[in-house]
DNA sequence: GTCTATAACGCGATAGAC
DNA sequence: GTCTATCGCGTTATAGAC
């Protein structure tokens, strides 16, 4: 966890304090936030630029001051989610560490990215390859999964993980559990903190639900 | 696992062998199968009755011979998925069994329902409450989850499951892993059989990935 | 320098008339 | 069944307000 990468939310948080110049209205980060929320609620395709403009109380044209296209909004949000996950992996793979520790870092980093960038990751996980941008995002996810699966395979060879489950299957089950957080985890509506969740997920993945 | 409940696919399999009478064409089960496939590929809302008719090579009017509405098709598919899951739970709760064994039955039964009715369950898990029917389905899912969570809580009290994780969280993580199967498990495209998967999932949920 | 509005374009899908 | 008018889509040009 060396360099927490920039996110949409972080950019908004940084920009908000310093007084803005020019005509008052939305800045890029604010528009992004609302757009991603709408994409998640209604689906990307089903969300028209008109409805986004209406939600913001803007004209359609005004949106094109902030973005060059509807797809660019999608692209930025997906980049944010994928970039966060990839940074977690890079971080875990760099430096001297036992394989098992690298895997712990990946799992915990992934949960932190999920919880801190819920809207962007939600969008990413719902993408189904309907356009070139979506297919590129799916491909990046595939590569990410493969790299984690390699880590799992190595941990199995080193005797750290059980070997009676294929690395690809173990990786998918693991991320199935992690990714499902987007379906129910709402930091605002629960007393479960992100760090408690990080601990719960790590324990269940490594040691399971059985009492010991 | 006493009475494997009827499913769309099962109905089709049974109907296929025995020679059909009357005018040749699609029967209800075949239409259902194609419709659910389209709903999953394009989304329910985005799939027009016209496009479904086109896919089948039928007129819209012919479709309404099989079904009274587009929503009815959705309803039947969701009922099929929910009915399967609920039957698994009823089965696990009936009879004399330790709580832990009940939980194993629920998990394994759920994986079997997922793998044997992938299209219907996929549809169920993608529903987002956009209509009365979808909201009713979500409510049935919620009740199912709650009943399983009660089972988890009881298993914790009996010392069978670890108690350092809330029952609701444990249940969600568990079903997060199970439900994620719809994202990648394709019986036709892999050498992993459903029963191997049942075993893998059960082991990971109870004992985790760590070597022992 | 930053944000927004009016007006209109080309295009594909869809619905209604025939 | 085919044709066509219409609509809504993402997008653009231009200009004005803070």
């Amino acid at each position: 966890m060396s360099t927490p990468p920039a996110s949409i939310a972080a950019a908004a948080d940084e920009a908000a304090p310093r007084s803005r110049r020019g005509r008052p209205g939305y800045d890029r980060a604010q528009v992004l936030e609302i757009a991603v929320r709408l994409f998640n609620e209604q689906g990307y395709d089903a969300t028209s630029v008109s409805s986004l403009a209406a939600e913001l109380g803007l004209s359609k044209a005004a949106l094109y001051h902030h973005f060059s296209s509807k797809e660019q909004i999608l692209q930025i949000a997906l980049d944010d989610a994928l970039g966060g996950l990839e940074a977690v992996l890079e971080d875990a793979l760099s430096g001297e560490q036992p394989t098992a520790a690298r895997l712990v870092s990946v799992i915990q980093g992934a949960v932190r990215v999920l919880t801190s960038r819920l809207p962007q990751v939600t969008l990413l996980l719902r993408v189904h390859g309907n356009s070139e941008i979506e297919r590129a995002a799916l491909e990046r996810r595939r590569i990410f999964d493969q790299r984690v699966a390699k880590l799992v395979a190595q941990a199995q060879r080193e005797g750290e993980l059980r070997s009676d489950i294929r690395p690809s299957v173990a990786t998918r089950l693991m991320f199935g559990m992690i990714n499902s957080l987007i379906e129910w985890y709402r930091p605002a509506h629960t007393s479960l903190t992100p760090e408690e969740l990080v601990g719960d997920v790590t324990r269940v993945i490594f040691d399971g639900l059985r009492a010991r």
Side-chain angles (χ1 to χ4, degrees), chain A:
Chain A
M1 217 191 8
S2 54
T3 43
S7 76
I8 293 176
D13 288 348
E14 286 163 23
R18 86 154 164 265
S19 65
R20 289 174 43 230
R21 287 175 299 186
R23 183 173 173 171
Y26 295 100
D27 62 15
R28 202 183 156 100
Q30 292 173 309
V31 174
L32 255 174
E33 192 182 328
I34 309 266
V36 172
R37 204 197 73 222
L38 279 190
F39 290 168
N40 282 330
E41 285 173 7
Q42 317 178 351
Y44 173 75
D45 289 320
T47 305
S48 67
V49 175
S50 308
S51 69
L52 173 54
E55 178 80 15
L56 288 159
L58 291 181
S59 67
K60 283 202 281 178
L63 279 178
Y64 285 87
H65 167 74
H66 299 284
F67 300 100
S68 60
S69 70
K70 183 186 169 189
E71 279 217 308
Q72 194 198 9
I73 303 179
L74 178 65
Q75 176 83 70
I76 290 172
L78 295 181
D79 271 345
D80 195 6
L82 284 164
L85 291 173
E86 287 162 353
V88 159
L89 187 55
E90 300 301 341
D91 204 55
L93 292 179
S94 72
E96 289 296 321
Q97 250 190 134
T99 305
R102 293 192 206 276
L103 211 50
V104 171
S105 294
V106 169
I107 290 167
Q108 301 194 337
V111 174
R112 290 195 183 96
V113 168
L114 275 258
T115 53
S116 64
R117 305 181 202 183
L118 257 180
Q120 297 96 302
V121 178
T122 300
L123 200 54
L124 173 65
L125 295 179
R126 292 198 183 150
V127 142
H128 272 274
N130 299 327
S131 68
E132 206 45 59
I133 285 182
E134 296 192 5
R135 279 187 288 276
L138 285 182
E139 177 64 10
R140 272 173 81 180
R141 264 188 74 187
R142 228 204 67 238
I143 291 172
F144 176 84
D145 287 347
Q146 273 190 339
R147 295 175 73 189
V148 177
K150 274 199 167 181
L151 211 50
V152 168
Q154 192 178 341
Q156 284 186 347
R157 284 192 300 273
E158 294 177 6
E160 301 279 355
L161 293 191
R162 61 192 306 158
S163 298
D164 56 345
I165 297 174
R166 302 181 198 178
S168 62
V169 174
T171 304
R172 280 171 162 148
L173 292 180
M174 192 169 94
F175 271 95
M177 178 178 288
I178 293 171
N179 290 341
S180 72
L181 298 181
I182 64 160
E183 303 290 345
W184 61 272
Y185 185 65
R186 298 293 175 272
H189 294 39
T190 178
S191 61
L192 190 72
T193 67
E195 283 309 308
E196 286 169 336
L197 190 59
V198 165
D200 285 357
V201 170
T202 309
R203 285 193 293 277
V204 174
I205 287 179
F206 280 97
D207 297 318
L209 289 177
R210 196 190 301 279
R212 313 214 157 266

